[in-house]
Amino acid sequence: GLCWQGKKSSQSYPGRSFSLEDMKPLAKIKGAVFVSLQAQYGSSQLDLCSFRDRFIGFQDKIELMKDFVNTASIMKQCDLIVSCDTGIAHLSCALGIPTLVVTKEVPSPYWGNNEVNSILYKDCHISRKRLGESWEECFDRTVGVLISSGQLA
């Protein structure tokens, strides 16, 4: 499950979201099939996504079910949630779903300062964007580390 953008009016918004296209390195994961968990803000990016063919065939029906209860149900069917620092990341972690939270260089205090694992949630891995690194480079590095470590096939 993928989520790439938080609410722009949030005080913590600056720098915490990225574009769906920045997540393109995830398409390197053999056999991965994606579902968009993006509601409202940024969801139109799916229409122009260069790896749109890797999303489930019934994504259009998922788009009609965007409330928190339905989103949680969909998330429970996912092997992994990849999200920016947003409510989806917290919900996924609280539900015990393996989660990769990709954060800006200096993230929200919820994710800790230097940890690669969350201080709040058991099944949460954190990847921080490095200074001067683009979001796509961050995803490329992160996917490489996860694949080489055997965490992703």
Side-chain angles (χ1 to χ4, degrees):
L2 306 181
C3 180
W4 53 90
Q5 185 174 325
K7 189 175 180 180
K8 286 187 176 184
S9 63
S10 169
Q11 289 182 336
S12 63
Y13 179 79
R16 74 176 180 145
S17 297
F18 33 82
S19 73
L20 172 58
E21 199 60 31
D22 289 330
M23 300 176 92
K24 185 177 181 177
L26 294 171
K28 293 178 185 178
I29 301 167
K30 292 180 184 172
V33 178
F34 306 115
V35 61
S36 169
L37 301 171
Q38 193 66 41
Q40 299 174 344
Y41 313 99
S43 61
S44 62
Q45 294 178 35
L46 190 58
D47 297 334
L48 302 174
C49 177
S50 66
F51 57 104
R52 176 68 172 95
D53 61 319
R54 299 291 296 274
F55 283 78
I56 57 172
F58 54 93
Q59 182 68 49
D60 55 329
K61 292 182 178 31
I62 298 285
E63 296 297 316
L64 302 174
M65 304 179 351
K66 292 293 171 100
D67 66 38
F68 234 43
V69 172
N70 287 326
T71 299
S73 296
I74 293 164
M75 291 167 74
K76 290 292 281 181
Q77 303 307 308
C78 295
D79 295 320
L80 175 70
I81 304 297
V82 181
S83 179
C84 62
D85 177 5
T86 189
I88 290 291
H90 288 280
L91 177 61
S92 176
C93 292
L95 290 170
I97 302 165
T99 304
L100 171 61
V101 181
V102 181
T103 69
K104 59 187 179 180
E105 296 91 337
V106 180
S108 159
Y110 297 115
W111 306 115
N113 291 325
N114 297 309
E115 297 82 8
V116 293
N117 295 308
S118 171
I119 57 176
L120 296 176
Y121 304 111
K122 180 180 152 199
D123 293 318
C124 181
H125 180 82
I126 301 164
S127 180
R128 287 177 179 72
K129 183 175 172 264
R130 295 177 179 161
L131 190 61
E133 184 177 53
S134 72
W135 282 113
E136 188 171 353
E137 290 168 334
C138 176
F139 274 100
D140 197 45
R141 174 179 49 82
T142 301
V143 168
V145 167
L146 293 174
I147 289 174
S148 67
S149 70
Q151 293 182 47
L152 297 175

